[in-house]
Amino acid sequence: VQLVESGGGLVQAGGSLRLSCVVSGFSLEHYVVGWFRQDPGKEREGVSCINRSGGSLYIADSVKGRFTISRDNAKNTVYLQMNRLKSEDTAVYYCARSPLYFGGSSCTRGSLYDYWGQGTQVTVSS
């Protein structure tokens, strides 16, 4: 089982990035996927979660209207489109899978995910 994030980098405030989470070793269609982020010295934050059929389960208030989660089960990939980036979005972004069924913000509990990617750094310069 592997989840590999990519698409991070350095971007100016107001810019955009699209993160990808490519999975292997399992069928993506059977799992919820969440995006999380963590900046050093801060707690991990659940950013967004997507259900098996592609519906968004949750989007954090801090990114609502700017970030969009999507998935392509045929490509074994989950995306996080990030627009109008702000300096406070700077963090390492992780994707993770969960075999559970969630309602709403409960999908942000990291302990309910069993496999995680290694993370991709997003740095937003102001």
Side-chain angles (χ1 to χ4, degrees):
V1 173
Q2 276 195 311
L3 297 91
V4 179
E5 304 93 337
S6 63
L10 174 63
V11 63
Q12 287 188 332
S16 298
L17 287 173
R18 187 175 80 159
L19 304 185
S20 298
C21 172
V22 178
V23 310
S24 60
F26 64 96
S27 295
L28 180 61
E29 62 186 337
H30 299 305
Y31 293 85
V32 165
V33 174
W35 281 99
F36 298 80
R37 66 185 182 185
Q38 188 166 23
D39 206 19
K42 296 182 181 178
E43 288 189 2
R44 183 177 59 199
E45 177 187 11
V47 176
S48 188
C49 321
I50 190 165
N51 66 19
R52 290 161 176 78
S53 59
S56 177
L57 287 169
Y58 173 82
I59 186 87
D61 287 342
S62 57
V63 305
K64 198 168 291 182
R66 301 187 297 120
F67 290 13
T68 304
I69 192 170
S70 62
R71 67 193 287 163
D72 186 335
N73 289 338
K75 294 184 177 180
N76 293 320
T77 304
V78 177
Y79 304 97
L80 185 68
Q81 178 67 45
M82 307 187 298
N83 298 327
R84 289 184 283 132
L85 283 159
K86 303 176 180 180
S87 57
E88 50 262 45
D89 296 320
T90 294
V92 178
Y93 285 71
Y94 301 89
C95 63
R97 74 162 204 187
S98 176
L100 304 178
Y101 288 83
F102 295 105
S105 63
S106 61
C107 68
T108 60
R109 291 176 59 190
S111 61
L112 301 180
Y113 290 75
D114 58 359
Y115 282 91
W116 293 72
Q118 82 291 345
T120 185
Q121 176 71 48
V122 172
T123 303
V124 184
S125 62
S126 56

